[in-house]
Amino acid sequence: MKEINKLSMVYLLCDCNNFFVSCEKIFRPDLKNRPVAVLSNNDGIVVSRSNETKNLGIAMGSPVFKIQDKINRYKIETFSSNFSLYLNISNRVMLCLESFCQDIEVYSVDEAFLCFKNITEAEAIKTAKKIRACVLKQIGITVGIGVATSKTLAKLANHYAKINSYTGGIFSALSDDKRQKILIESPLKEIWGIGPSSEEKLTNEGFKTAYSLSKADPEVMRKKYNINLARTINELNGIDCIESIVDSDCQNQIMWSRSFKNRLTKIDDIYEAVANYVSCACEKLRSLELYAKKMALFIRTSYFGNAKKYSNEIAICLEYPCSDTRVFASAAKILLDRIFVDGYEYAKAGIILYEFTDSRTFQSDLFNKAPNQSELNKNNNLMNAVDKINKDNKDTIYLGAVHSLTKVENKKKDKINKDHFSKRYTASFDELPEVF
């Protein structure tokens, strides 16, 4: 009897196709086979496209004002980002995936690695087919699935499955011939972890595809570049090198940024926006039960048009790890004062919280007075109380710094074309789907 070859570890990367658009189409069957696009918060750029929209030549990140003629000509249905709906659908997808595998690593809102041990290729493919059918039936979302012995290969296999219809949305790179096939057909830019800068350097050295890079000596490339590239090469050869992406260390930053609906020229207006971003980021930080030691802030003008261009960023290190919105809002004011330059029309700002820890334990500075632990506990309790109140009634309590912004944004919402906003079908009792 032929011995069945069981693999010690197999990854199934499940990735929802055109996720934001797919969420909108669940409750709009009339949009089937029609071009659809989801826009960024302020309807500035395209952040998700249906296949029909892609076929019209509209690229991801396209500014709306540049493609408005195509939107009108081809009657492309556009939606403003409805994150309440998308996050709720994402949670449903992940729950469905968990019914097949308890060892799941959520990579993003629409992607997750399912980790199986001691499984054959036939069993892995059979499971992938069941997963795909289940998600489509229970949620109404189509997923692509890549199967491999490393996460990097699984990502490539997933991409290959999506762009080649003959795969049925599933591609396995477990056999060596199929592994080499996707490596040969995958350019460097499709490799997980290879950014534009690395791609340019590697291309200049003669590496054109994932296959050519997989033939490089990992140790030589580690000395020449870094250990991450050496790991990538091993991953391309099916060697599992990437540690769990759900470890606390992997949640290494929280970024919150938005493009302004209208250009801002006054520092006070920009600070109101930044204070709002700080509030949202700190709320997220507390939900993860983490503290941050550092914060970065950036501002910039638009990349487009003839107006003067300016961008800058700056960072600050706090005296102790913190999750208090008030502390970071004060720090943001200091940072903004340092980099704001009058005379420009600002289009975007953002903040990044990083250097996380799961406790407030820290090495105090010899020349600084240690903070009062009792006061820190009081502040922590206050922030938790605010989060609890706002959980059921959003924006019931907020910083005075965002008060003006909140009123302005509410006024803007009243003027926005309501046709761009879909209902929060699964996230609000007031917006449940209607059956006629």
Side-chain angles (χ1 to χ4, degrees):
M1 180 182 292
K2 185 178 179 181
E3 184 179 353
I4 299 177
N5 182 30
K6 288 202 171 187
L7 300 161
S8 59
M9 177 66 81
V10 172
Y11 293 102
L12 272 63
L13 175 62
C14 299
D15 183 11
C16 300
N17 298 341
N18 313 324
F19 183 58
F20 291 174
V21 163
S22 296
C23 290
E24 299 290 354
K25 284 192 173 187
I26 291 175
F27 302 97
R28 290 286 303 276
D30 59 305
L31 296 179
K32 185 178 181 180
N33 299 324
R34 285 184 55 191
V36 178
V38 172
L39 312 179
S40 59
N41 283 57
N42 289 318
D43 295 347
I45 61 173
V46 174
V47 295
S48 183
R49 306 159 294 160
S50 66
N51 290 332
E52 297 79 12
T53 304
K54 293 176 184 178
N55 293 335
L56 293 174
I58 294 177
M60 181 70 84
S62 297
V64 173
F65 76 89
K66 282 193 171 185
I67 61 169
Q68 190 61 58
D69 59 330
K70 284 189 175 182
I71 292 175
N72 297 335
R73 188 188 320 152
Y74 298 111
K75 295 181 172 58
I76 300 174
E77 190 79 21
T78 58
F79 292 92
S80 298
S81 296
N82 186 344
F83 291 112
S84 295
L85 175 64
Y86 307 153
L87 288 174
N88 189 272
I89 298 298
S90 173
N91 291 334
R92 292 166 186 248
V93 171
M94 299 310 164
L95 284 173
C96 183
L97 297 181
E98 287 176 2
S99 67
F100 289 90
C101 178
Q102 293 303 307
D103 190 359
I104 178 173
E105 300 180 9
V106 179
Y107 178 60
S108 68
V109 70
D110 62 342
E111 285 182 86
F113 289 98
L114 278 64
C115 315
F116 293 91
K117 295 180 180 178
N118 300 317
I119 189 173
T120 66
E121 180 175 19
E123 290 171 338
I125 294 175
K126 184 179 180 180
T127 301
K129 289 179 178 178
K130 288 182 178 179
I131 291 172
R132 198 165 188 269
C134 183
V135 174
L136 181 59
K137 182 179 180 180
Q138 291 190 10
I139 290 93
I141 296 284
T142 303
V143 299
I145 302 178
V147 185
T149 54
S150 71
K151 292 187 177 80
T152 302
L153 266 181
K155 291 276 283 185
L156 283 178
N158 177 278
H159 178 72
Y160 186 87
K162 281 189 172 183
I163 63 175
N164 291 279
S165 58
Y166 82 89
T167 64
I170 299 171
F171 189 80
S172 168
L174 294 178
S175 63
D176 196 56
D177 58 331
K178 289 183 179 179
R179 180 184 68 85
Q180 292 192 38
K181 177 180 177 61
I182 61 170
L183 292 181
I184 290 171
E185 297 186 24
S186 298
L188 291 176
K189 66 181 181 179
E190 294 299 339
I191 302 174
W192 190 28
I194 301 294
S197 178
S198 297
E199 180 191 0
E200 183 179 359
K201 292 178 182 177
L202 291 169
T203 300
N204 291 336
E205 287 200 38
F207 297 102
K208 304 296 183 184
T209 64
Y211 180 77
S212 60
L213 182 60
S214 72
K215 294 300 181 182
D217 187 325
E219 186 59 26
V220 172
M221 299 303 278
R222 183 188 70 80
K223 293 178 180 179
K224 197 168 186 179
Y225 289 88
N226 52 56
I227 192 171
N228 290 328
L229 184 59
R231 287 174 177 166
T232 296
I233 294 171
N234 284 325
E235 287 260 322
L236 293 175
N237 286 289
I239 302 171
D240 187 19
C241 297
I242 299 177
E243 298 178 359
S244 173
I245 57 174
V246 296
D247 290 341
S248 59
D249 288 344
C250 292
Q251 178 66 54
N252 54 17
Q253 68 176 32
I254 295 175
M255 177 178 179
W256 216 279
S257 68
R258 295 289 186 274
S259 296
F260 305 135
K261 188 72 175 180
N262 299 307
R263 300 294 181 259
L264 301 182
T265 58
K266 297 179 180 179
I267 189 171
D268 289 343
D269 292 335
I270 296 176
Y271 177 64
E272 287 173 359
V274 169
N276 189 48
Y277 307 156
V278 167
S279 178
C280 294
C282 286
E283 183 179 348
K284 174 67 173 177
L285 184 67
R286 291 190 293 272
S287 73
L288 297 171
E289 297 183 356
L290 295 173
Y291 301 90
K293 185 74 183 293
K294 295 181 180 179
M295 181 177 72
L297 181 147
F298 68 88
I299 54 175
R300 70 167 175 81
T301 57
S302 173
Y303 294 132
F304 309 101
N306 298 320
K308 295 187 297 181
K309 306 294 188 294
Y310 172 76
S311 66
N312 205 344
E313 61 183 52
I314 189 172
I316 192 170
C317 181
L318 303 182
E319 293 181 4
Y320 54 90
C322 179
S323 62
D324 192 321
T325 302
R326 297 167 300 172
V327 173
F328 282 107
S330 296
K333 184 67 170 66
I334 294 172
L335 296 179
L336 185 60
D337 286 340
R338 291 178 181 175
I339 64 173
F340 176 82
V341 177
D342 202 6
Y344 290 94
E345 297 180 350
Y346 292 92
K348 188 172 186 177
I351 61 101
I352 304 171
L353 306 183
Y354 60 106
E355 196 167 303
F356 293 162
T357 176
D358 57 4
S359 72
R360 281 196 300 246
T361 302
F362 64 98
Q363 181 65 47
S364 60
D365 192 306
L366 178 64
F367 302 101
N368 287 331
K369 183 179 178 180
N372 185 294
Q373 192 64 41
S374 177
E375 285 298 318
L376 291 180
N377 291 336
K378 287 181 181 179
N379 294 340
N380 199 44
N381 291 336
L382 174 62
M383 289 293 105
N384 289 335
V386 169
D387 292 340
K388 187 174 182 179
I389 293 171
N390 287 338
K391 183 178 181 180
D392 297 323
N393 300 282
K394 187 172 177 59
D395 295 330
T396 299
I397 300 178
Y398 46 80
L399 291 180
V402 305
H403 185 230
S404 298
L405 176 70
T406 302
K407 291 192 294 183
V408 170
E409 290 300 320
N410 286 337
K411 288 179 181 179
K412 285 181 180 179
K413 287 179 181 178
D414 292 336
K415 297 178 181 178
I416 293 175
N417 184 354
K418 296 295 183 181
D419 292 338
H420 283 307
F421 287 92
S422 58
K423 293 183 177 180
R424 297 170 295 169
Y425 299 103
T426 62
S428 172
F429 281 109
D430 295 329
E431 300 177 29
L432 291 173
E434 297 178 1
V435 179
F436 298 94

